[in-house]
Amino acid sequence: MKYLVLALSLMLGTAGGDEALDIARDIYFVNHFFAVDNVSYGDKRHPMQLLNLSAQGKASRYRLERHLNNAYDQGDIRARDLVIFRSGKLRSTGILVDIYKDDKRPLSFAIWLPALRKIRRHAEPEQADIWGGSVFTYGDIYLRRPEDESHSLLGKVAFPGCLGMLEPAPEALRPSCEMKGKEVFHLRSVPRAPHWWYDYRDQYIDTETYADYRAEYYKEGKLIKVIDKDWRSMRLDDPRAQYWRYWYGKDLRSGSQGLAWVEERRQVSWNKKVNPKLWSLATLRRLSR
C-alpha cells in the first residue's frame, strides 16, 4: 500500500512526510545490511582497502576487515560491528561497536590500542567526526538515523552519469557507470539539529533496491561534499539485500578525497556460519603488532 501512495504522491508533485520517511528508512535498511544476519568485508588474507588523498596529493592507505553481526542478540545488545586495521599507522587497531535493541540508546565503542595493549571505551562520537582520517564521517557510516533529518521526495530524475572515482584509480578499479541514465528517486534531507555542518543533502536512490548511489551535501547554497556508492545485488529475495563494491567521497572545501573498496566479490560474504566469539573483547586483545 505504501508504494501505491508513494506513486500517487509523485504524480501530484513533491512528496513529504510519511512517504519520504519510508524511503529514508529503506535507505537505512540497505546501508546497515538488515536483510542479512551477518556480512564481512575482507579477512586477514584478503582485506578491503581505504585510501585517503589530501588536496596536496599526500596519500594514506589502510588494509582492514569489517564484520557486522546483525543477529548477535545477547542481552540488550542487538548487533555488533567489528573493524580490524591490518596495515598503515592504524595497524592492529581494533574497533568493536555495540548496537543496542533500544534504537535511542547511543552506540558504545571499544577500541584496542596496540601501542598501549589496552582497550579504551568511548562514548558515541559526534556524527560529524571523521572516521579513520577519511572524508567519511561517523554519521555516514554508523550514526545518522532517518529520524535525525526531515525528508522531502522531490520526484524522479535520470541519474546524470558515472559514479566518482580517484584519478588515477588504484589497481584495476574503474568508475561504475551502470546507473547512468537510470531513473532514481531524488530525496532531500534536512538535519533537525540546528547549526549543523550541512544545511541539507540530496540523495539519488534506486527506485527498486533503495540503494543510495549519491549524496550531495550543501551549505549556504554551495555543494561542499559528495559521496558515491557502487552497489551490487546479493541476489536474495529482498531487493534491498545489497553490498557495495566501493565508496568514493570528495570534500570540495578541502579538496581531500577518499576511496574504500573491495577488489573482488570473494572479499565480501554474508549469512556465513561465524563463531559469535569473533565479536568480543577477546578478539581485540589478540591483536598485536
Side-chain angles (χ1 to χ4, degrees):
M1 174 62 74
K2 75 172 185 177
Y3 300 107
L4 176 59
V5 173
L6 177 58
L8 292 173
S9 299
L10 287 171
M11 291 173 63
L12 296 174
T14 299
D18 292 342
E19 296 85 5
L21 180 58
D22 282 343
I23 291 179
R25 286 171 173 164
D26 280 324
I27 299 167
Y28 188 78
F29 184 100
V30 172
N31 275 272
H32 288 76
F33 305 101
F34 288 144
V36 295
D37 288 342
N38 59 69
V39 62
S40 290
Y41 275 80
D43 56 29
K44 191 171 184 178
R45 293 183 60 189
H46 303 98
M48 61 170 284
Q49 299 190 59
L50 171 66
L51 178 61
N52 303 321
L53 188 65
S54 72
Q56 294 73 35
K58 184 178 180 180
S60 59
R61 187 163 180 165
Y62 302 98
R63 298 180 186 273
L64 63 146
E65 320 169 27
R66 183 187 179 190
H67 308 278
L68 173 61
N69 185 346
N70 277 325
Y72 187 79
D73 195 19
Q74 293 190 24
D76 56 355
I77 300 174
R78 177 179 59 78
R80 272 189 163 175
D81 201 341
L82 174 68
V83 173
I84 301 171
F85 287 87
R86 294 297 184 186
S87 72
K89 294 180 180 180
L90 296 175
R91 182 182 177 189
S92 296
T93 300
I95 305 172
L96 185 64
V97 184
D98 289 343
I99 303 164
Y100 296 99
K101 295 176 181 177
D102 180 358
D103 288 340
K104 296 182 180 179
R105 182 173 175 179
L107 277 58
S108 175
F109 290 74
I111 302 177
W112 171 255
L113 302 173
L116 301 178
R117 299 195 61 80
K118 289 185 178 180
I119 291 174
R120 290 286 187 260
R121 290 191 175 275
H122 293 271
E124 183 175 284
E126 294 292 331
Q127 287 194 25
D129 289 354
I130 61 173
W131 187 91
S134 70
V135 300
F136 310 117
T137 68
Y138 277 90
D140 297 327
I141 298 171
Y142 295 113
L143 303 180
R144 187 188 299 115
R145 300 174 175 87
E147 291 74 20
D148 292 339
E149 300 171 303
S150 59
H151 309 279
S152 299
L153 184 60
L154 304 184
K156 293 181 180 180
V157 297
F159 196 80
C162 302
L163 297 179
M165 173 58 68
L166 292 179
E167 295 182 5
E171 282 82 40
L173 286 175
R174 295 290 182 272
S176 178
C177 298
E178 294 185 9
M179 65 293 302
K180 184 177 181 180
K182 189 173 185 178
E183 188 175 62
V184 293
F185 288 133
H186 181 191
L187 185 74
R188 178 162 294 176
S189 302
V190 178
R192 295 187 185 277
H195 312 298
W196 205 233
W197 67 271
Y198 62 93
D199 292 332
Y200 66 90
R201 61 190 182 115
D202 283 355
Q203 297 178 85
Y204 299 90
I205 305 127
D206 191 284
T207 59
E208 296 181 2
T209 68
Y210 296 94
D212 53 332
Y213 296 132
R214 174 168 293 166
E216 299 173 337
Y217 296 77
Y218 291 85
K219 186 72 175 179
E220 297 178 350
K222 295 182 179 180
L223 178 65
I224 60 170
K225 181 178 173 181
V226 179
I227 294 180
D228 285 356
K229 303 175 189 176
D230 180 25
W231 291 98
R232 295 287 187 271
S233 174
M234 292 179 174
R235 302 191 182 280
L236 301 178
D237 291 339
D238 191 332
R240 297 174 298 176
Q242 302 281 312
Y243 72 94
W244 51 262
R245 191 172 65 96
Y246 73 78
W247 280 34
Y248 167 78
K250 183 171 184 179
D251 188 323
L252 281 74
R253 298 162 296 182
S254 66
S256 58
Q257 301 176 76
L259 184 72
W261 78 96
V262 290
E263 295 175 359
E264 302 177 26
R265 159 65 182 83
R266 65 187 176 91
Q267 287 183 286
V268 188
S269 61
W270 52 86
N271 286 342
K272 299 294 185 180
K273 189 174 182 179
V274 183
N275 189 335
K277 292 182 179 179
L278 172 67
W279 292 273
S280 68
L281 297 179
T283 295
L284 296 184
R285 293 189 181 99
R286 285 194 293 270
L287 298 176
S288 65
R289 289 189 180 275

